[in-house]
Amino acid sequence: MEMSGQTDNGNASGKTARKTNMGNQAERTARDTKQYTTTGSPAALSQQQAQAMARQRQQPEQIDLKELFFMLLAHWRMILLATLAGAALLGAYCTFLLDPSYETTASIYITSTDSVISISDLQLSAALTEDYAKIIKSRTTLNKVIEELGLDLDYKALGKLVSVSNPDSTHIVEITVTCSDPELCRDIANALVDIGVNQIYQVIGSSMPTVIDFSAAESVEEITDSLASWLVKGGLLGAVLVCAILVLRSLLDTTLKTEEDIEKYLGLPVLTSIPYYQEL
């Protein structure tokens, strides 16, 4: 009987010990599970990512010029092709489509033709110089030039070819004509001088202005830009356009491409990465 009692007591003690061990193991499992939930669960990781992105948004946006430079350097072939294409396009435009432009200038002197010129005459002519320029480009003067030369233009179109200027501190009015025909350019300038001087005399009523220079054949100059300048402009335009597109695309691209991007923008360490494998 004693042995039976001892056996029952031993069994009870063993059951109690097993229950204690199971309780301790359950506590450890619960503690580990709680620790995993607070540190390693997907919800916690998502919360950490959200906090990191929130901190990143609070920081002012910075442009890494060094990164942009190396990005442009990596696309040097594209930039070179754009430069050559721009130069070719504007070179072709200059060669085949652009009409040459010519320019000539005639000038008149605004003052009295009397043998004795007083200070008041000089002051009056200086004050009226701008008025004389307006008269030369008036509708009446331009229509008379069109009628005399038989031009197939209206006065507005002719006025765009003519500019009248007054050099500073002078009584000189310069008439400049720009068009694609050198002979027509010279004829328009000389007709403006003749008709403009008579029109000024009729309107102002004082003595007629003195002609300083008529336009001559040797005074007509070509002002069209050279082919080399158009090539340079086209190359620069193509390069700048492609660089602007590349920079804009880089600034608008918010995707994460490398491990450094994850650490930089999310503030999270990279535990592992899966290499990309492509079957041949």
Side-chain angles (χ1 to χ4, degrees):
M1 295 293 294
E2 285 184 11
M3 292 180 63
S4 177
Q6 290 177 358
T7 301
D8 293 338
N9 291 333
N11 292 333
S13 300
K15 292 180 179 179
T16 303
R18 284 196 298 271
K19 289 181 179 180
T20 303
N21 293 333
M22 292 177 64
N24 293 335
Q25 185 177 2
E27 290 179 358
R28 288 195 300 269
T29 303
R31 186 168 59 251
D32 294 341
T33 303
K34 182 178 180 181
Q35 183 177 1
Y36 174 78
T37 303
T38 56
T39 58
S41 66
L45 290 177
S46 299
Q47 185 177 5
Q48 292 177 4
Q49 292 178 359
Q51 292 176 355
M53 294 180 67
R55 289 194 301 268
Q56 182 67 24
R57 285 194 296 266
Q58 291 176 359
Q59 297 178 356
E61 189 70 21
Q62 296 180 354
I63 299 176
D64 192 346
L65 298 180
K66 184 178 179 181
E67 182 179 349
L68 290 179
F69 172 76
F70 283 107
M71 182 273 298
L72 293 176
L73 189 62
H75 294 83
W76 68 270
R77 291 184 180 86
M78 185 183 299
I79 297 174
L80 179 60
L81 289 177
T83 302
L84 296 177
L89 287 176
L90 286 192
Y93 170 75
C94 176
T95 304
F96 301 106
L97 299 178
L98 183 64
D99 294 329
S101 296
Y102 299 92
E103 183 180 272
T104 188
T105 301
S107 57
I108 58 177
Y109 186 73
I110 306 298
T111 187
S112 175
T113 57
D114 296 337
S115 58
V116 179
I117 303 175
S118 63
I119 299 297
S120 60
D121 293 333
L122 293 176
Q123 293 176 346
L124 178 61
S125 61
L128 293 177
T129 301
E130 186 174 354
D131 296 337
Y132 297 154
K134 296 291 185 182
I135 293 173
I136 293 173
K137 286 199 67 174
S138 65
R139 183 178 66 254
T140 302
T141 303
L142 294 177
N143 282 329
K144 288 182 178 180
V145 171
I146 293 173
E147 183 180 355
E148 179 176 329
L149 298 178
L151 301 177
D152 187 16
L153 298 172
D154 58 5
Y155 76 94
K156 292 182 179 179
L158 179 59
K160 293 179 180 179
L161 306 178
V162 179
S163 63
V164 181
S165 62
N166 170 230
D168 295 336
S169 303
T170 65
H171 301 158
I172 298 174
V173 174
E174 292 184 346
I175 304 171
T176 303
V177 180
T178 305
C179 64
S180 58
D181 187 344
E183 294 183 0
L184 181 61
C185 189
R186 180 191 60 194
D187 294 340
I188 292 175
N190 291 334
L192 278 172
V193 169
D194 289 333
I195 297 174
V197 166
N198 293 326
Q199 192 69 19
I200 288 172
Y201 178 73
Q202 293 178 9
V203 174
I204 304 298
S206 60
S207 58
M208 295 181 62
T210 303
V211 178
I212 299 177
D213 285 321
F214 281 105
S215 175
E218 60 272 13
S219 66
V220 181
E221 298 179 354
E222 184 176 359
I223 60 173
T224 308
D225 292 337
S226 63
L227 177 61
S229 65
W230 281 100
L231 292 176
V232 172
K233 292 177 183 178
L236 290 177
L237 182 61
V240 170
L241 183 60
V242 170
C243 289
I245 293 175
L246 290 174
V247 170
L248 184 61
R249 188 180 67 177
S250 176
L251 294 178
L252 295 179
D253 188 5
T254 58
T255 58
L256 302 178
K257 299 180 177 62
T258 62
E259 299 176 1
E260 291 77 9
D261 292 341
I262 297 176
E263 295 179 357
K264 179 179 179 181
Y265 296 107
L266 298 181
L268 298 176
V270 178
L271 300 180
T272 185
S273 62
I274 302 175
Y276 176 75
Y277 174 73
Q278 182 179 3
E279 295 184 357
L280 299 176

